[in-house]
Amino acid sequence: MTGNQTSNTKVSKAIFTPQMVIRVCAELAGTFLVTFALYIVGTLGQVLYGASVLFVALATGLAYAAGSALFGRISGAHFNPAVTIAAVFTGKLGWLEGIFYLIAQVLGAIASAAIVVGFLPTSTTVTSSMWLTSAVNGFEKGSVSNSMLSQAGITFSVTMAIILEIIAGLIVVGAVVTTLNNHGGADKRHVLYSGIAYGIAAAITFPITGAGLNPARSTGIAIFAQNKGLSQEPLQQLWVFWICPILAAAIVALVLILTNMVKASVASSTIASAEDDEDADDVIADEIVYTSETPEYASDDNAVEDSTDDVAADVSANVADDVDSEQQANAEVSNEETKA
């Protein structure tokens, strides 16, 4: 085996790990379940129960929250290409893994749309367009409210659709990405924050665009709703539901990057100032000069004088003892001579 073959093998082993495969599969399964629930609400729920904006918003929030609870700790529960793109830009997810996430998300949405559309019952009186009108995302003639607004001669323009989808995308991507940790997983807030964010965003955008919010969700149903007799072909307007979420993801990523840069700058300046203070304290301590008037210096002098006096006293005492002992010895010698 050559050196290039060895290096390529090592790279492939490092990239295509079992953990990555599990995470990608979790994104595929999670996106399938979430979009399946959304398509059911948009088709059967709208036709059979006359689903209101409140019902759609609640169902959307609960669907994403449930998916996050199931797969959040495995893959981070993105389920949305816009969230994945923002995670890649902010370094929370590798670019290669991000590509696989995008592919898995789109495939999951297409699979769920195929199942839902394939099992919708139709007849001469109940056509596919009746089921799919509220499930697809669109504006102007493709808007959910088109039938009501057309009677008054007005429509929701593409400009309004773009503005609302970008604002809703900021809410969704901002809430979801900020609850992802640096390893790509989701923290404890992820379920709650994603559910609330998607619910609010759906309430804002559903009457105008059918609550796109997710390019994968918009793509899956658009493919199978094409040429089904809708007033507007979904694939012709699909570009809005890709560009707006991706633009929102770029804005969120830029804000997070700038915020992290500011935090890092403040932290480094704080550390530098603390180090400067410590150096200044060391210099001041080294420059202190002890004089005779300094209490510490004076106490040292007194200690030296006291020790000198003690030594002199000891010497004098020793000399006196020697003299006394000599005189006593002389006296004893003289007494002995006298006796003799």
Side-chain angles (χ1 to χ4, degrees):
M1 182 180 289
T2 63
N4 291 333
Q5 290 175 340
T6 303
S7 61
N8 291 334
T9 303
K10 291 181 179 179
V11 170
S12 62
K13 288 182 179 179
I15 293 175
F16 300 102
T17 61
Q19 290 78 10
M20 178 186 290
V21 175
I22 292 173
R23 290 194 293 267
V24 173
C25 291
E27 281 295 303
L28 175 65
T31 307
F32 174 86
L33 294 176
V34 170
T35 53
F36 184 86
L38 297 178
Y39 297 153
I40 289 295
V41 171
T43 55
L44 299 178
Q46 187 70 25
V47 174
L48 300 179
Y49 306 111
S52 62
V53 175
L54 180 61
F55 177 81
V56 172
L58 181 61
T60 301
L62 290 176
Y64 281 101
S68 299
L70 290 173
F71 301 102
R73 294 185 179 181
I74 302 175
S75 66
H78 295 192
F79 309 147
N80 188 335
V83 173
T84 299
I85 291 172
V88 171
F89 285 166
T90 55
K92 296 177 182 289
L93 189 71
W95 65 269
L96 183 60
E97 192 169 5
I99 293 175
F100 289 128
Y101 269 40
L102 294 177
I103 296 172
Q105 290 158 1
V106 174
L107 290 178
I110 291 174
S112 64
I115 294 174
V116 171
V117 174
F119 283 94
L120 289 175
T122 58
S123 65
T124 56
T125 56
V126 180
T127 61
S128 297
S129 61
M130 295 180 61
W131 294 112
L132 297 173
T133 297
S134 298
V136 298
N137 300 127
F139 50 90
E140 295 177 344
K141 292 182 179 181
S143 173
V144 176
S145 306
N146 178 64
S147 59
M148 181 180 63
L149 295 177
S150 60
Q151 299 176 2
I154 57 176
T155 58
F156 289 125
S157 64
V158 62
T159 303
M160 188 173 185
I162 290 174
I163 293 173
L164 289 181
E165 283 290 328
I166 291 177
I167 293 174
L170 292 174
I171 296 172
V172 168
V173 178
V176 176
V177 172
T178 53
T179 56
L180 297 176
N181 56 40
N182 293 329
H183 303 289
D187 61 24
K188 296 179 180 179
R189 306 169 298 165
H190 187 78
V191 175
L192 179 63
Y193 282 26
S194 62
I196 294 175
Y198 275 106
I200 293 174
I204 295 173
T205 57
F206 180 74
I208 293 89
T209 62
L213 310 177
N214 184 342
R217 176 252 186 270
S218 300
T219 301
I221 196 66
I223 291 174
F224 294 97
Q226 187 75 6
N227 300 323
K228 294 293 185 179
L230 298 177
S231 57
Q232 177 69 48
E233 296 297 344
L235 290 178
Q236 295 178 359
Q237 297 183 337
L238 185 61
W239 62 273
V240 172
F241 301 100
W242 274 91
I243 291 178
C244 293
I246 291 176
L247 181 59
I251 294 173
V252 170
L254 179 60
V255 171
L256 291 177
I257 292 171
L258 293 176
T259 302
N260 292 332
M261 290 175 62
V262 171
K263 290 181 179 179
S265 177
V266 172
S268 62
S269 62
T270 303
I271 294 173
S273 62
E275 292 177 352
D276 292 339
D277 292 339
E278 291 178 358
D279 294 338
D281 293 339
D282 294 338
V283 170
I284 293 172
D286 293 337
E287 291 180 350
I288 294 177
V289 178
Y290 292 99
T291 63
S292 59
E293 297 178 355
T294 306
E296 292 81 357
Y297 184 80
S299 62
D300 293 339
D301 289 343
N302 293 332
V304 171
E305 291 177 357
D306 293 339
S307 62
T308 303
D309 293 340
D310 293 338
V311 172
D314 293 338
V315 172
S316 300
N318 293 331
V319 172
D321 292 338
D322 293 339
V323 172
D324 292 337
S325 60
E326 186 178 356
Q327 289 177 355
Q328 186 176 1
N330 292 333
E332 291 178 353
V333 170
S334 60
N335 290 334
E336 291 177 358
E337 290 178 352
T338 302
K339 291 179 181 179

